[in-house]
Amino acid sequence: MLIKYGVSAGFASLGSAKNCMLASSAVLRRQQFLIRSLGGYSDHTNQERMQEIRSMSGTTLEADAENVLREITPVLDPTRHKGQAGKIAVIGGCREYTGAPYFAAISALKIGADLSHVFCTKDAAPVIKSYSPELIVHPLLEESYSISGLEDEEKRHISSKILTEFDKWMKRFDCLVVGPGLGRDPYLLECVSKIVKHARQSNVPIVIDGDGLFLVTESLDLVSGYPLAVLTPNVNEYKRLVQKVLSCEVNEQQAPELLKSLAKRIGGVTILQKGKSDLISDGEIVKSVSFYGSPRRCGGQGDILSGSVAVFLSWARTKRKSVDRSPMNPTVLGCIAGSALLRKAASLAFENKKRSTLTTDIIECLGRSLEDICPAR
Ligand SMILES: NC(=O)C1=CN([C@@H]2O[C@H](COP(=O)(O)OP(=O)(O)OC[C@H]3O[C@@H](n4cnc5c(N)ncnc54)[C@H](O)[C@@H]3O)[C@@H](O)[C@H]2O)[C@@H](O)CC1
Ligand SMILES: Nc1ncnc2c1ncn2[C@@H]1O[C@H](COP(=O)(O)OP(=O)(O)OP(=O)(O)O)[C@@H](O)[C@H]1O
Ligand SMILES: [Mg+2]
């Protein structure tokens, strides 16, 4: 069953009937705007999409994303110390991909986390360090090529040293992002599987993205039944997940229902299905973030999203411990906030840069986008 808007939002600030009506009309206006903005396209898929959005109006999925952002973003309190606004670690970065972990880790800082670490392969580390002095970069992981020629016993020894080293850090993190630019090397992925298992034992939330999704699609047990796991698949990653778990093809017509079944089947993990609209489900409710971002599809936007979700999820968990005003799962709140902020920043960047908009331009707009919604004072 899809949750009706206003009941699902559940924030105290939306508690009165009057406020609910105001909020509903704001959502309707947003949907009408979205329908208008899609109206310029004539291809079949977009016609279907318009129909889908119209049919959502009765039982609207659209999250009240700005309110979510306001609710979970902490005030800048001078009594707080370094680390209290979030300590994030990205596990990713290999010989091919150094941009993805950088985008995820720097986005976390730009939003407001205090510390952002990257655990990557030895070869990728100097490159990632050279992008930014703000990141703490650990040249920890090994790929098969760097240990080729070693005996199996030695390989096992290296793998256990990597795990021991990571364990020293793990409990300090509020959230891990596993996968941006991780690559698919079997030795490296085996090591990362062990890291995920340890993180889970320690109840550290984990956002799984990029090649991390390749890993968990092959080994669902890693996340199955873990409520602090968030999966952020793009269109391909989602197709693979649906085929593996539900043994069927993706059906655009029943996207919310399919997503909810998938999240439920993986034991109540939260899934953020990226696309024209971002759809989010924890197996209980489904929410969407649909307002228009940018028509540029440059690589790296999903990496911004995974770093952002990690920060907002951590903030939502902290807020829940202190006030507990929202009945929504903190992982769902983190996804709504991350998706909304990325789309707003992409839209701002596109206003300025048009066709030449790149991921770094979007990252530069994260701060202003959040500031517009939650002024720092
Ligand atoms: N600068 C970088 O270092 C970047 C590295 N990235 C990393 O690259 C690795 C692979 O990620 P991918 O996103 O390419 O993996 P995917 O499995 O999504 O994509 C694999 C192939 O599918 C194609 N594809 C992607 N989106 C599609 C769509 N909407 N419809 C049809 N085909 C589509 C791609 O062109 C690619 O050839 C991950 O580790 C990821 O994190 C990306 O995050 C992009 C930026
Ligand atoms: N067709 C689209 N129209 C509008 N926005 C989109 C569209 N597709 C994706 N997005 C937005 O871009 C964000 C990143 O999604 P995308 O599918 O590009 O991820 P990705 O492929 O994992 O990216 P990356 O290149 O970082 O790996 C999504 O959260 C969504 O908000
Ligand atoms: Mg990606």
Side-chain angles (χ1 to χ4, degrees):
M1 188 189 73
L2 303 176
I3 303 290
K4 288 222 182 212
Y5 179 86
V7 176
S8 65
F11 290 119
S13 56
L14 291 180
S16 74
K18 188 176 165 217
N19 280 345
C20 275
M21 275 168 60
L22 283 175
S24 302
S25 63
V27 167
L28 266 176
R29 275 199 305 280
R30 266 204 299 277
Q31 283 171 344
Q32 281 158 0
F33 168 74
L34 191 62
I35 290 166
R36 275 200 306 279
S37 47
L38 284 175
Y41 299 91
S42 56
D43 64 276
H44 183 63
T45 320
N46 278 328
Q47 296 286 347
E48 282 177 1
R49 189 67 193 153
M50 283 168 68
Q51 190 54 47
E52 195 183 308
I53 291 164
R54 283 200 184 97
S55 70
M56 282 176 184
S57 307
T59 51
T60 184
L61 301 173
E62 190 65 10
D64 186 7
E66 289 204 1
N67 248 336
V68 170
L69 276 161
R70 275 187 212 103
E71 280 294 324
I72 66 181
T73 301
V75 289
L76 291 174
D77 178 348
T79 63
R80 303 186 93 189
H81 60 73
K82 182 178 72 180
Q84 283 185 306
K87 300 180 288 301
I88 303 302
V90 177
I91 301 173
C94 63
R95 207 155 48 156
E96 286 91 354
Y97 308 122
T98 54
Y102 164 77
F103 294 143
I106 201 75
S107 299
L109 287 178
K110 292 272 182 182
I111 287 169
D114 289 333
L115 293 163
S116 192
H117 293 241
V118 176
F119 291 84
C120 57
T121 66
K122 295 207 161 77
D123 289 347
V127 182
I128 298 171
K129 280 176 201 280
S130 75
Y131 297 152
S132 166
E134 323 285 350
L135 302 179
I136 300 163
V137 183
H138 306 257
L140 186 69
L141 305 174
E142 299 277 6
E143 288 182 82
S144 302
Y145 73 84
S146 64
I147 51 160
S148 65
L150 297 185
E151 297 292 326
D152 284 354
E153 184 56 37
E154 274 178 286
K155 288 181 184 171
R156 274 195 293 276
H157 179 63
I158 292 171
S159 164
S160 85
K161 262 175 61 185
I162 291 172
L163 201 60
T164 309
E165 181 61 24
F166 186 79
D167 280 348
K168 285 188 205 156
W169 290 93
M170 190 169 55
K171 287 194 182 136
R172 304 181 200 186
F173 298 128
D174 299 302
C175 189
L176 305 184
V177 182
V178 176
L182 191 61
R184 294 181 184 179
D185 179 78
Y187 181 82
L188 180 143
L189 290 184
E190 203 186 307
C191 248
V192 173
S193 298
K194 290 175 189 157
I195 288 176
V196 169
K197 282 179 193 157
H198 280 213
R200 185 175 173 164
Q201 277 159 15
S202 304
N203 272 324
V204 178
I206 316 173
V207 177
I208 311 267
D209 186 38
D211 296 314
L213 287 165
F214 172 80
L215 173 66
V216 302
T217 304
E218 296 300 306
S219 313
L220 279 165
D221 282 355
L222 288 174
V223 290
S224 188
Y226 186 43
L228 296 177
V230 175
L231 316 186
T232 57
N234 68 14
V235 66
N236 292 330
E237 292 151 352
Y238 188 67
K239 264 184 210 157
R240 289 193 287 261
L241 208 50
V242 167
Q243 281 162 354
K244 177 73 189 262
V245 178
L246 300 176
S247 307
C248 67
E249 295 302 317
V250 171
N251 176 352
E252 282 280 330
Q253 302 306 313
Q254 289 172 343
E257 291 77 9
L258 190 70
L259 177 67
K260 194 167 141 187
S261 312
L262 182 66
K264 203 168 212 141
R265 188 71 75 83
I266 313 179
V269 299
T270 296
I271 305 178
L272 192 173
Q273 179 192 358
K274 297 179 286 193
K276 216 171 280 171
S277 295
D278 288 343
L279 275 184
I280 297 148
S281 180
D282 59 357
E284 295 297 324
I285 64 162
V286 184
K287 286 278 146 195
S288 75
V289 177
S290 318
F291 64 80
Y292 197 57
S294 150
R296 280 283 283 134
R297 300 269 63 81
C298 53
Q301 296 182 61
D303 305 320
I304 300 181
L305 183 75
S306 58
S308 310
V309 169
V311 177
F312 287 121
L313 184 169
S314 312
W315 288 350
R317 288 188 85 213
T318 310
K319 198 75 176 218
R320 169 165 277 201
K321 278 177 207 150
S322 59
V323 219
D324 201 4
R325 285 160 76 187
S326 170
M328 255 196 271
N329 198 334
T331 51
V332 172
L333 293 172
C335 289
I336 292 171
S339 166
L341 189 72
L342 165 68
R343 283 173 168 254
K344 189 164 158 52
S347 151
L348 270 182
F350 186 74
E351 265 174 38
N352 293 328
K353 297 284 177 93
K354 300 292 179 193
R355 285 181 195 275
S356 76
T357 306
L358 295 180
T359 296
T360 41
D361 301 315
I362 300 173
I363 289 170
E364 282 316 305
C365 292
L366 287 171
R368 203 185 118 196
S369 302
L370 190 54
E371 187 62 19
D372 284 350
I373 299 167
C374 318
R377 272 179 255 146

PDB file of all heavy atoms in Angstrom, residues 261-294:
ATOM      1  N   SER A 261       8.640  -4.448  -3.371  1.00  0.00           N
ATOM      2  CA  SER A 261       8.829  -5.910  -3.254  1.00  0.00           C
ATOM      3  C   SER A 261      10.310  -6.245  -3.159  1.00  0.00           C
ATOM      4  O   SER A 261      10.712  -7.120  -2.383  1.00  0.00           O
ATOM      5  CB  SER A 261       8.303  -6.659  -4.471  1.00  0.00           C
ATOM      6  OG  SER A 261       7.049  -6.232  -4.807  1.00  0.00           O
ATOM      7  N   LEU A 262      11.117  -5.533  -3.968  1.00  0.00           N
ATOM      8  CA  LEU A 262      12.555  -5.823  -3.971  1.00  0.00           C
ATOM      9  C   LEU A 262      13.171  -5.526  -2.601  1.00  0.00           C
ATOM     10  O   LEU A 262      13.909  -6.345  -2.041  1.00  0.00           O
ATOM     11  CB  LEU A 262      13.236  -4.977  -5.059  1.00  0.00           C
ATOM     12  CG  LEU A 262      14.733  -5.190  -5.235  1.00  0.00           C
ATOM     13  CD1 LEU A 262      15.028  -6.593  -5.744  1.00  0.00           C
ATOM     14  CD2 LEU A 262      15.321  -4.164  -6.212  1.00  0.00           C
ATOM     15  N   ALA A 263      12.822  -4.361  -2.053  1.00  0.00           N
ATOM     16  CA  ALA A 263      13.381  -3.981  -0.751  1.00  0.00           C
ATOM     17  C   ALA A 263      12.941  -4.966   0.330  1.00  0.00           C
ATOM     18  O   ALA A 263      13.722  -5.343   1.212  1.00  0.00           O
ATOM     19  CB  ALA A 263      12.950  -2.557  -0.400  1.00  0.00           C
ATOM     20  N   LYS A 264      11.691  -5.384   0.240  1.00  0.00           N
ATOM     21  CA  LYS A 264      11.163  -6.340   1.219  1.00  0.00           C
ATOM     22  C   LYS A 264      11.887  -7.675   1.085  1.00  0.00           C
ATOM     23  O   LYS A 264      12.298  -8.277   2.079  1.00  0.00           O
ATOM     24  CB  LYS A 264       9.666  -6.519   0.977  1.00  0.00           C
ATOM     25  CG  LYS A 264       8.937  -6.996   2.189  1.00  0.00           C
ATOM     26  CD  LYS A 264       7.451  -6.892   2.037  1.00  0.00           C
ATOM     27  CE  LYS A 264       6.856  -6.606   3.400  1.00  0.00           C
ATOM     28  NZ  LYS A 264       5.798  -5.704   3.416  1.00  0.00           N
ATOM     29  N   ARG A 265      12.060  -8.107  -0.152  1.00  0.00           N
ATOM     30  CA  ARG A 265      12.680  -9.409  -0.401  1.00  0.00           C
ATOM     31  C   ARG A 265      14.133  -9.433   0.090  1.00  0.00           C
ATOM     32  O   ARG A 265      14.639 -10.477   0.498  1.00  0.00           O
ATOM     33  CB  ARG A 265      12.596  -9.741  -1.890  1.00  0.00           C
ATOM     34  CG  ARG A 265      13.045 -11.145  -2.232  1.00  0.00           C
ATOM     35  CD  ARG A 265      12.080 -12.221  -1.760  1.00  0.00           C
ATOM     36  NE  ARG A 265      10.906 -12.267  -2.594  1.00  0.00           N
ATOM     37  CZ  ARG A 265      10.833 -12.912  -3.750  1.00  0.00           C
ATOM     38  NH1 ARG A 265      11.858 -13.588  -4.190  1.00  0.00           N
ATOM     39  NH2 ARG A 265       9.729 -12.904  -4.448  1.00  0.00           N
ATOM     40  N   ILE A 266      14.784  -8.260   0.060  1.00  0.00           N
ATOM     41  CA  ILE A 266      16.170  -8.250   0.564  1.00  0.00           C
ATOM     42  C   ILE A 266      16.154  -7.958   2.071  1.00  0.00           C
ATOM     43  O   ILE A 266      17.135  -7.490   2.649  1.00  0.00           O
ATOM     44  CB  ILE A 266      17.058  -7.262  -0.234  1.00  0.00           C
ATOM     45  CG1 ILE A 266      16.866  -7.433  -1.738  1.00  0.00           C
ATOM     46  CG2 ILE A 266      18.540  -7.464   0.085  1.00  0.00           C
ATOM     47  CD1 ILE A 266      17.685  -6.499  -2.622  1.00  0.00           C
ATOM     48  N   GLY A 267      15.015  -8.174   2.693  1.00  0.00           N
ATOM     49  CA  GLY A 267      14.968  -8.137   4.161  1.00  0.00           C
ATOM     50  C   GLY A 267      14.895  -6.733   4.738  1.00  0.00           C
ATOM     51  O   GLY A 267      15.415  -6.479   5.828  1.00  0.00           O
ATOM     52  N   GLY A 268      14.255  -5.812   3.995  1.00  0.00           N
ATOM     53  CA  GLY A 268      14.027  -4.479   4.565  1.00  0.00           C
ATOM     54  C   GLY A 268      15.202  -3.535   4.452  1.00  0.00           C
ATOM     55  O   GLY A 268      15.337  -2.601   5.234  1.00  0.00           O
ATOM     56  N   VAL A 269      16.064  -3.767   3.464  1.00  0.00           N
ATOM     57  CA  VAL A 269      17.083  -2.744   3.188  1.00  0.00           C
ATOM     58  C   VAL A 269      16.363  -1.578   2.511  1.00  0.00           C
ATOM     59  O   VAL A 269      15.239  -1.724   2.031  1.00  0.00           O
ATOM     60  CB  VAL A 269      18.209  -3.261   2.245  1.00  0.00           C
ATOM     61  CG1 VAL A 269      18.945  -4.422   2.868  1.00  0.00           C
ATOM     62  CG2 VAL A 269      17.652  -3.659   0.869  1.00  0.00           C
ATOM     63  N   THR A 270      17.011  -0.418   2.494  1.00  0.00           N
ATOM     64  CA  THR A 270      16.418   0.718   1.788  1.00  0.00           C
ATOM     65  C   THR A 270      17.056   0.815   0.403  1.00  0.00           C
ATOM     66  O   THR A 270      18.276   0.694   0.275  1.00  0.00           O
ATOM     67  CB  THR A 270      16.647   2.017   2.587  1.00  0.00           C
ATOM     68  OG1 THR A 270      15.943   1.884   3.827  1.00  0.00           O
ATOM     69  CG2 THR A 270      16.118   3.237   1.844  1.00  0.00           C
ATOM     70  N   ILE A 271      16.212   1.011  -0.608  1.00  0.00           N
ATOM     71  CA  ILE A 271      16.728   1.111  -1.982  1.00  0.00           C
ATOM     72  C   ILE A 271      16.327   2.459  -2.573  1.00  0.00           C
ATOM     73  O   ILE A 271      15.173   2.872  -2.477  1.00  0.00           O
ATOM     74  CB  ILE A 271      16.194  -0.019  -2.879  1.00  0.00           C
ATOM     75  CG1 ILE A 271      16.508  -1.386  -2.255  1.00  0.00           C
ATOM     76  CG2 ILE A 271      16.790   0.066  -4.289  1.00  0.00           C
ATOM     77  CD1 ILE A 271      15.979  -2.582  -3.024  1.00  0.00           C
ATOM     78  N   LEU A 272      17.313   3.143  -3.126  1.00  0.00           N
ATOM     79  CA  LEU A 272      17.055   4.394  -3.854  1.00  0.00           C
ATOM     80  C   LEU A 272      17.278   4.081  -5.334  1.00  0.00           C
ATOM     81  O   LEU A 272      18.410   3.896  -5.761  1.00  0.00           O
ATOM     82  CB  LEU A 272      18.027   5.476  -3.369  1.00  0.00           C
ATOM     83  CG  LEU A 272      17.778   6.940  -3.761  1.00  0.00           C
ATOM     84  CD1 LEU A 272      18.752   7.856  -3.031  1.00  0.00           C
ATOM     85  CD2 LEU A 272      17.806   7.225  -5.227  1.00  0.00           C
ATOM     86  N   GLN A 273      16.196   3.977  -6.072  1.00  0.00           N
ATOM     87  CA  GLN A 273      16.272   3.656  -7.508  1.00  0.00           C
ATOM     88  C   GLN A 273      16.407   4.966  -8.280  1.00  0.00           C
ATOM     89  O   GLN A 273      15.489   5.784  -8.306  1.00  0.00           O
ATOM     90  CB  GLN A 273      15.001   2.910  -7.921  1.00  0.00           C
ATOM     91  CG  GLN A 273      14.968   2.560  -9.388  1.00  0.00           C
ATOM     92  CD  GLN A 273      13.569   2.092  -9.838  1.00  0.00           C
ATOM     93  OE1 GLN A 273      12.633   1.990  -9.042  1.00  0.00           O
ATOM     94  NE2 GLN A 273      13.438   1.828 -11.109  1.00  0.00           N
ATOM     95  N   LYS A 274      17.587   5.165  -8.897  1.00  0.00           N
ATOM     96  CA  LYS A 274      17.862   6.452  -9.550  1.00  0.00           C
ATOM     97  C   LYS A 274      17.279   6.478 -10.955  1.00  0.00           C
ATOM     98  O   LYS A 274      17.278   5.477 -11.643  1.00  0.00           O
ATOM     99  CB  LYS A 274      19.379   6.685  -9.624  1.00  0.00           C
ATOM    100  CG  LYS A 274      20.022   6.796  -8.258  1.00  0.00           C
ATOM    101  CD  LYS A 274      21.517   6.991  -8.321  1.00  0.00           C
ATOM    102  CE  LYS A 274      22.272   5.752  -8.695  1.00  0.00           C
ATOM    103  NZ  LYS A 274      23.729   5.853  -8.464  1.00  0.00           N
ATOM    104  N   GLY A 275      16.816   7.639 -11.349  1.00  0.00           N
ATOM    105  CA  GLY A 275      16.272   7.789 -12.706  1.00  0.00           C
ATOM    106  C   GLY A 275      15.626   9.137 -12.865  1.00  0.00           C
ATOM    107  O   GLY A 275      15.937  10.073 -12.132  1.00  0.00           O
ATOM    108  N   LYS A 276      14.720   9.230 -13.826  1.00  0.00           N
ATOM    109  CA  LYS A 276      14.037  10.497 -14.102  1.00  0.00           C
ATOM    110  C   LYS A 276      13.398  11.026 -12.816  1.00  0.00           C
ATOM    111  O   LYS A 276      13.452  12.208 -12.511  1.00  0.00           O
ATOM    112  CB  LYS A 276      12.984  10.261 -15.171  1.00  0.00           C
ATOM    113  CG  LYS A 276      12.834  11.406 -16.118  1.00  0.00           C
ATOM    114  CD  LYS A 276      11.954  11.044 -17.275  1.00  0.00           C
ATOM    115  CE  LYS A 276      12.684  10.247 -18.322  1.00  0.00           C
ATOM    116  NZ  LYS A 276      11.794   9.703 -19.361  1.00  0.00           N
ATOM    117  N   SER A 277      12.727  10.131 -12.105  1.00  0.00           N
ATOM    118  CA  SER A 277      12.353  10.397 -10.715  1.00  0.00           C
ATOM    119  C   SER A 277      13.158   9.429  -9.872  1.00  0.00           C
ATOM    120  O   SER A 277      13.348   8.289 -10.291  1.00  0.00           O
ATOM    121  CB  SER A 277      10.883  10.075 -10.458  1.00  0.00           C
ATOM    122  OG  SER A 277      10.060  10.917 -11.182  1.00  0.00           O
ATOM    123  N   ASP A 278      13.605   9.854  -8.714  1.00  0.00           N
ATOM    124  CA  ASP A 278      14.252   8.899  -7.808  1.00  0.00           C
ATOM    125  C   ASP A 278      13.168   8.285  -6.931  1.00  0.00           C
ATOM    126  O   ASP A 278      12.355   9.004  -6.346  1.00  0.00           O
ATOM    127  CB  ASP A 278      15.299   9.617  -6.934  1.00  0.00           C
ATOM    128  CG  ASP A 278      16.538  10.010  -7.740  1.00  0.00           C
ATOM    129  OD1 ASP A 278      16.737   9.477  -8.841  1.00  0.00           O
ATOM    130  OD2 ASP A 278      17.310  10.855  -7.253  1.00  0.00           O
ATOM    131  N   LEU A 279      13.149   6.963  -6.865  1.00  0.00           N
ATOM    132  CA  LEU A 279      12.154   6.264  -6.038  1.00  0.00           C
ATOM    133  C   LEU A 279      12.873   5.612  -4.859  1.00  0.00           C
ATOM    134  O   LEU A 279      13.953   5.037  -5.035  1.00  0.00           O
ATOM    135  CB  LEU A 279      11.482   5.163  -6.845  1.00  0.00           C
ATOM    136  CG  LEU A 279      10.288   5.504  -7.720  1.00  0.00           C
ATOM    137  CD1 LEU A 279       9.737   4.225  -8.327  1.00  0.00           C
ATOM    138  CD2 LEU A 279       9.191   6.218  -6.943  1.00  0.00           C
ATOM    139  N   ILE A 280      12.251   5.703  -3.695  1.00  0.00           N
ATOM    140  CA  ILE A 280      12.909   5.213  -2.476  1.00  0.00           C
ATOM    141  C   ILE A 280      11.954   4.298  -1.715  1.00  0.00           C
ATOM    142  O   ILE A 280      10.794   4.659  -1.497  1.00  0.00           O
ATOM    143  CB  ILE A 280      13.277   6.432  -1.581  1.00  0.00           C
ATOM    144  CG1 ILE A 280      14.275   7.334  -2.310  1.00  0.00           C
ATOM    145  CG2 ILE A 280      13.852   5.973  -0.232  1.00  0.00           C
ATOM    146  CD1 ILE A 280      14.144   8.793  -1.987  1.00  0.00           C
ATOM    147  N   SER A 281      12.443   3.135  -1.315  1.00  0.00           N
ATOM    148  CA  SER A 281      11.595   2.256  -0.490  1.00  0.00           C
ATOM    149  C   SER A 281      12.423   1.455   0.506  1.00  0.00           C
ATOM    150  O   SER A 281      13.553   1.062   0.211  1.00  0.00           O
ATOM    151  CB  SER A 281      10.812   1.284  -1.369  1.00  0.00           C
ATOM    152  OG  SER A 281      10.003   0.467  -0.544  1.00  0.00           O
ATOM    153  N   ASP A 282      11.808   1.219   1.660  1.00  0.00           N
ATOM    154  CA  ASP A 282      12.430   0.338   2.662  1.00  0.00           C
ATOM    155  C   ASP A 282      11.623  -0.952   2.798  1.00  0.00           C
ATOM    156  O   ASP A 282      11.745  -1.666   3.783  1.00  0.00           O
ATOM    157  CB  ASP A 282      12.540   1.062   4.017  1.00  0.00           C
ATOM    158  CG  ASP A 282      11.181   1.503   4.542  1.00  0.00           C
ATOM    159  OD1 ASP A 282      10.161   1.303   3.839  1.00  0.00           O
ATOM    160  OD2 ASP A 282      11.121   2.074   5.649  1.00  0.00           O
ATOM    161  N   GLY A 283      10.759  -1.185   1.813  1.00  0.00           N
ATOM    162  CA  GLY A 283       9.922  -2.385   1.856  1.00  0.00           C
ATOM    163  C   GLY A 283       8.600  -2.128   2.548  1.00  0.00           C
ATOM    164  O   GLY A 283       7.687  -2.953   2.489  1.00  0.00           O
ATOM    165  N   GLU A 284       8.468  -0.967   3.216  1.00  0.00           N
ATOM    166  CA  GLU A 284       7.225  -0.623   3.899  1.00  0.00           C
ATOM    167  C   GLU A 284       6.521   0.529   3.188  1.00  0.00           C
ATOM    168  O   GLU A 284       5.329   0.486   2.943  1.00  0.00           O
ATOM    169  CB  GLU A 284       7.497  -0.212   5.368  1.00  0.00           C
ATOM    170  CG  GLU A 284       8.054  -1.332   6.226  1.00  0.00           C
ATOM    171  CD  GLU A 284       7.079  -2.492   6.364  1.00  0.00           C
ATOM    172  OE1 GLU A 284       5.868  -2.247   6.430  1.00  0.00           O
ATOM    173  OE2 GLU A 284       7.547  -3.653   6.376  1.00  0.00           O
ATOM    174  N   ILE A 285       7.292   1.592   2.912  1.00  0.00           N
ATOM    175  CA  ILE A 285       6.705   2.734   2.211  1.00  0.00           C
ATOM    176  C   ILE A 285       7.506   2.992   0.926  1.00  0.00           C
ATOM    177  O   ILE A 285       8.635   2.516   0.790  1.00  0.00           O
ATOM    178  CB  ILE A 285       6.686   4.016   3.074  1.00  0.00           C
ATOM    179  CG1 ILE A 285       8.111   4.474   3.408  1.00  0.00           C
ATOM    180  CG2 ILE A 285       5.875   3.835   4.328  1.00  0.00           C
ATOM    181  CD1 ILE A 285       8.168   5.913   3.855  1.00  0.00           C
ATOM    182  N   VAL A 286       6.906   3.776   0.037  1.00  0.00           N
ATOM    183  CA  VAL A 286       7.610   4.202  -1.179  1.00  0.00           C
ATOM    184  C   VAL A 286       7.484   5.713  -1.262  1.00  0.00           C
ATOM    185  O   VAL A 286       6.407   6.268  -1.018  1.00  0.00           O
ATOM    186  CB  VAL A 286       6.983   3.588  -2.449  1.00  0.00           C
ATOM    187  CG1 VAL A 286       7.798   3.978  -3.682  1.00  0.00           C
ATOM    188  CG2 VAL A 286       6.898   2.086  -2.343  1.00  0.00           C
ATOM    189  N   LYS A 287       8.568   6.375  -1.558  1.00  0.00           N
ATOM    190  CA  LYS A 287       8.578   7.836  -1.702  1.00  0.00           C
ATOM    191  C   LYS A 287       9.294   8.181  -3.003  1.00  0.00           C
ATOM    192  O   LYS A 287      10.162   7.432  -3.455  1.00  0.00           O
ATOM    193  CB  LYS A 287       9.325   8.474  -0.530  1.00  0.00           C
ATOM    194  CG  LYS A 287       8.545   8.442   0.770  1.00  0.00           C
ATOM    195  CD  LYS A 287       7.581   9.567   0.782  1.00  0.00           C
ATOM    196  CE  LYS A 287       6.301   9.282   1.485  1.00  0.00           C
ATOM    197  NZ  LYS A 287       5.266  10.256   1.191  1.00  0.00           N
ATOM    198  N   SER A 288       8.949   9.330  -3.561  1.00  0.00           N
ATOM    199  CA  SER A 288       9.691   9.740  -4.757  1.00  0.00           C
ATOM    200  C   SER A 288      10.192  11.164  -4.619  1.00  0.00           C
ATOM    201  O   SER A 288       9.638  11.966  -3.855  1.00  0.00           O
ATOM    202  CB  SER A 288       8.824   9.603  -6.004  1.00  0.00           C
ATOM    203  OG  SER A 288       7.891  10.640  -6.054  1.00  0.00           O
ATOM    204  N   VAL A 289      11.253  11.451  -5.324  1.00  0.00           N
ATOM    205  CA  VAL A 289      11.764  12.822  -5.437  1.00  0.00           C
ATOM    206  C   VAL A 289      11.811  13.081  -6.943  1.00  0.00           C
ATOM    207  O   VAL A 289      12.614  12.475  -7.652  1.00  0.00           O
ATOM    208  CB  VAL A 289      13.155  12.984  -4.796  1.00  0.00           C
ATOM    209  CG1 VAL A 289      13.675  14.402  -4.994  1.00  0.00           C
ATOM    210  CG2 VAL A 289      13.106  12.632  -3.308  1.00  0.00           C
ATOM    211  N   SER A 290      10.923  13.951  -7.402  1.00  0.00           N
ATOM    212  CA  SER A 290      10.754  14.077  -8.858  1.00  0.00           C
ATOM    213  C   SER A 290      11.065  15.453  -9.418  1.00  0.00           C
ATOM    214  O   SER A 290      11.027  15.614 -10.622  1.00  0.00           O
ATOM    215  CB  SER A 290       9.308  13.772  -9.254  1.00  0.00           C
ATOM    216  OG  SER A 290       8.816  12.692  -8.571  1.00  0.00           O
ATOM    217  N   PHE A 291      11.274  16.442  -8.541  1.00  0.00           N
ATOM    218  CA  PHE A 291      11.417  17.766  -9.159  1.00  0.00           C
ATOM    219  C   PHE A 291      12.653  17.804 -10.047  1.00  0.00           C
ATOM    220  O   PHE A 291      13.628  17.076  -9.827  1.00  0.00           O
ATOM    221  CB  PHE A 291      11.380  18.905  -8.129  1.00  0.00           C
ATOM    222  CG  PHE A 291      12.499  18.917  -7.142  1.00  0.00           C
ATOM    223  CD1 PHE A 291      13.748  19.434  -7.489  1.00  0.00           C
ATOM    224  CD2 PHE A 291      12.299  18.427  -5.872  1.00  0.00           C
ATOM    225  CE1 PHE A 291      14.777  19.445  -6.574  1.00  0.00           C
ATOM    226  CE2 PHE A 291      13.328  18.440  -4.958  1.00  0.00           C
ATOM    227  CZ  PHE A 291      14.568  18.940  -5.307  1.00  0.00           C
ATOM    228  N   TYR A 292      12.571  18.660 -11.046  1.00  0.00           N
ATOM    229  CA  TYR A 292      13.527  18.572 -12.144  1.00  0.00           C
ATOM    230  C   TYR A 292      14.921  19.014 -11.730  1.00  0.00           C
ATOM    231  O   TYR A 292      15.100  20.050 -11.103  1.00  0.00           O
ATOM    232  CB  TYR A 292      13.009  19.413 -13.318  1.00  0.00           C
ATOM    233  CG  TYR A 292      13.713  19.046 -14.582  1.00  0.00           C
ATOM    234  CD1 TYR A 292      13.699  17.728 -15.036  1.00  0.00           C
ATOM    235  CD2 TYR A 292      14.418  19.990 -15.303  1.00  0.00           C
ATOM    236  CE1 TYR A 292      14.367  17.364 -16.181  1.00  0.00           C
ATOM    237  CE2 TYR A 292      15.089  19.634 -16.464  1.00  0.00           C
ATOM    238  CZ  TYR A 292      15.056  18.318 -16.886  1.00  0.00           C
ATOM    239  OH  TYR A 292      15.724  17.956 -18.016  1.00  0.00           O
ATOM    240  N   GLY A 293      15.940  18.216 -12.106  1.00  0.00           N
ATOM    241  CA  GLY A 293      17.329  18.564 -11.805  1.00  0.00           C
ATOM    242  C   GLY A 293      18.008  19.153 -13.020  1.00  0.00           C
ATOM    243  O   GLY A 293      17.950  20.358 -13.263  1.00  0.00           O
ATOM    244  N   SER A 294      18.601  18.303 -13.823  1.00  0.00           N
ATOM    245  CA  SER A 294      19.338  18.789 -14.984  1.00  0.00           C
ATOM    246  C   SER A 294      19.241  17.758 -16.102  1.00  0.00           C
ATOM    247  O   SER A 294      19.165  16.550 -15.840  1.00  0.00           O
ATOM    248  CB  SER A 294      20.800  18.977 -14.584  1.00  0.00           C
ATOM    249  OG  SER A 294      21.658  18.776 -15.676  1.00  0.00           O
TER     250      SER A 294
END
